[in-house]
Amino acid sequence: PAPPMPRPVHQWLPEQWLGRGPAAQCLRPVSWLYGALSWVRRLAYRQGWLVSHRVQATLIVVGNVVAGGAGKTPTTIALVQHLLQRGWAVGVVSRGHGRQTSDTRPVQAQSTPALVGDEPLLIAQATGVPVWVGASRAEAARQLLQAHPGTHIIVCDDGLQHLALARDIEICVMDERGVGNGWLLPAGPLREPWPRQMDLLLHTGTPAVTGGFRGQRRLAAQAVCVSGDRVNLASLQGQAVDAVAGLARPEAFFGMLRSAGLQLAQTHAMPDHADFADWPSGALERPLLCTEKDAAKLWAHQSEALAVPLVLDIDPAFWEALDALLAQRAGSPVSSAHGQQTA
């Protein structure tokens, strides 16, 4: 028999971050260097050697302290929807991970993941608010405000470590992994030392560190076709289906499908932000389920795939705490509209 294929690094390394085994130990010297460079960078911003740019809107950052997905995009979508319900005019900025462009641009109706990134496209489609992408989130925020000058609040998706953009409220999202083995990259999952100060901590899985608020990720009851029609997930129970996910933790998606009573015949774990350029076209042997984030890319090659949206149910106490922070730091939608905003 042929020797087993080596596992991709994007699958193997996160497993090492859950403990302090030999592989993680070997990477410690590199993590010390990473930590030193991170400390110097933070010091440069504190001392004013590097400039943190402030925009003329209240800036809320949603991010995490570990590498890999923890539910930032569903949190951003839920946050924007909450702010809209409260009467705020909202915009979103993002780097646009995985896109093939490098400029600063808006997400438009005709945009593709290759142009703007899969997550910004999903956020724009789910919320309908202006979304801009750019390597410099500060520049993206400035251009968004030029195009939409009535915007009260800008939400920065995945920008906790983007210190070039001054922020008014920081929201850290954490899943059941917590901080893993507690070590910095690449020996552990941490992007920066923990613990750190923040305004709000949201757990999207079983809390692994103390404090914060609870949120619960779950699959929507219906999958979405390329046409926009919907299929009840329950109707797929009792038959074999395939699943694919281009996520930092694809197994989490597969596990949720199994928990929904679906029988997975084959699973395809792709790297996060995979472009699906090599995905084969043709008739499917079985129904194929994908994440909502991957849908636009996969549908270009396999239009029969079904996208399963992810829903995030957040503790009402989180929204109460957020609204209290906004009352202190942003006033109200009415006062902001009349130029009384201080951020």
Side-chain angles (χ1 to χ4, degrees), residues 158-237:
D158 192 14
L160 209 57
Q161 290 79 37
H162 190 68
L163 302 181
L165 181 59
R167 65 285 312 269
D168 299 286
I169 297 174
E170 287 189 329
I171 299 174
C172 180
V173 183
M174 189 173 289
D175 62 16
E176 63 277 0
R177 295 170 299 162
V179 295
N181 61 15
W183 287 348
L184 292 172
L185 290 167
L190 284 173
R191 299 176 175 182
E192 57 181 304
W194 180 267
R196 79 185 298 280
Q197 291 186 336
M198 66 197 66
D199 294 294
L200 298 169
L201 174 62
L202 178 65
H203 299 280
T204 59
T206 303
V209 301
T210 58
F213 301 90
R214 293 290 302 273
Q216 184 64 47
R217 288 183 287 181
R218 60 180 175 84
L219 299 178
Q222 296 178 319
V224 182
C225 306
V226 66
S227 64
D229 294 335
R230 296 181 178 271
V231 176
N232 290 327
L233 277 186
S235 68
L236 300 176
Q237 295 175 352

Side-chain angles (χ1 to χ4, degrees), residues 244 274-276 279-280 288-291 293-306:
V244 59
D275 61 12
F276 288 85
W279 190 268
L288 176 64
L289 303 179
C290 69
T291 70
K293 186 176 88 167
D294 293 321
K297 296 174 290 186
L298 181 57
W299 280 335
H301 306 281
Q302 185 51 259
S303 60
E304 297 177 67
L306 300 174

Side-chain angles (χ1 to χ4, degrees), residues 237-259:
Q237 295 175 352
Q239 61 177 303
V241 300
D242 294 339
V244 59
L247 304 172
R249 299 176 60 229
E251 286 299 332
F253 176 65
F254 303 149
M256 295 176 78
L257 291 174
R258 293 188 181 100
S259 297

Side-chain angles (χ1 to χ4, degrees), residues 4-256:
M5 294 292 291
R7 299 184 64 201
V9 173
H10 71 270
Q11 295 180 21
W12 173 82
L13 190 56
E15 294 178 358
Q16 313 311 309
W17 292 340
L18 298 177
R20 296 184 173 183
Q25 294 282 357
C26 289
L27 293 169
R28 284 304 302 284
V30 186
S31 72
W32 295 332
L33 176 61
Y34 174 89
L37 294 174
S38 297
W39 181 84
V40 170
R41 178 172 172 268
R42 291 193 300 272
L43 177 65
Y45 278 104
R46 285 198 301 269
Q47 297 296 327
W49 303 331
L50 293 176
V51 178
S52 185
H53 301 278
R54 180 166 293 279
V55 297
Q56 295 302 308
T58 300
L59 201 292
I60 302 176
V61 167
V62 178
N64 62 1
V65 294
V66 300
K72 296 184 298 294
T73 299
T75 300
T76 297
I77 291 172
L79 174 62
V80 171
Q81 292 171 340
H82 172 83
L83 295 172
L84 291 174
Q85 292 173 358
R86 293 297 186 273
W88 297 100
V90 188
V92 176
V93 295
S94 173
R95 179 179 178 180
H97 290 282
R99 65 187 177 122
Q100 299 172 7
T101 56
S102 58
D103 59 347
T104 301
R105 63 170 63 204
V107 178
Q108 299 174 318
Q110 69 274 19
S111 295
T112 65
L115 293 176
V116 299
D118 46 23
E119 290 165 344
L121 183 60
L122 175 58
I123 292 169
Q125 293 172 341
T127 65
V129 303
V131 179
W132 283 70
V133 298
S136 167
R137 275 76 147 193
E139 180 59 27
R142 281 194 291 267
Q143 292 196 27
L144 187 155
L145 288 171
Q146 289 176 1
H148 305 276
T151 302
H152 304 141
I153 297 176
I154 293 179
V155 178
C156 180
D157 178 46
D158 192 14
L160 209 57
Q161 290 79 37
H162 190 68
L163 302 181
L165 181 59
R167 65 285 312 269
D168 299 286
I169 297 174
E170 287 189 329
I171 299 174
C172 180
V173 183
M174 189 173 289
D175 62 16
E176 63 277 0
R177 295 170 299 162
V179 295
N181 61 15
W183 287 348
L184 292 172
L185 290 167
L190 284 173
R191 299 176 175 182
E192 57 181 304
W194 180 267
R196 79 185 298 280
Q197 291 186 336
M198 66 197 66
D199 294 294
L200 298 169
L201 174 62
L202 178 65
H203 299 280
T204 59
T206 303
V209 301
T210 58
F213 301 90
R214 293 290 302 273
Q216 184 64 47
R217 288 183 287 181
R218 60 180 175 84
L219 299 178
Q222 296 178 319
V224 182
C225 306
V226 66
S227 64
D229 294 335
R230 296 181 178 271
V231 176
N232 290 327
L233 277 186
S235 68
L236 300 176
Q237 295 175 352
Q239 61 177 303
V241 300
D242 294 339
V244 59
L247 304 172
R249 299 176 60 229
E251 286 299 332
F253 176 65
F254 303 149
M256 295 176 78

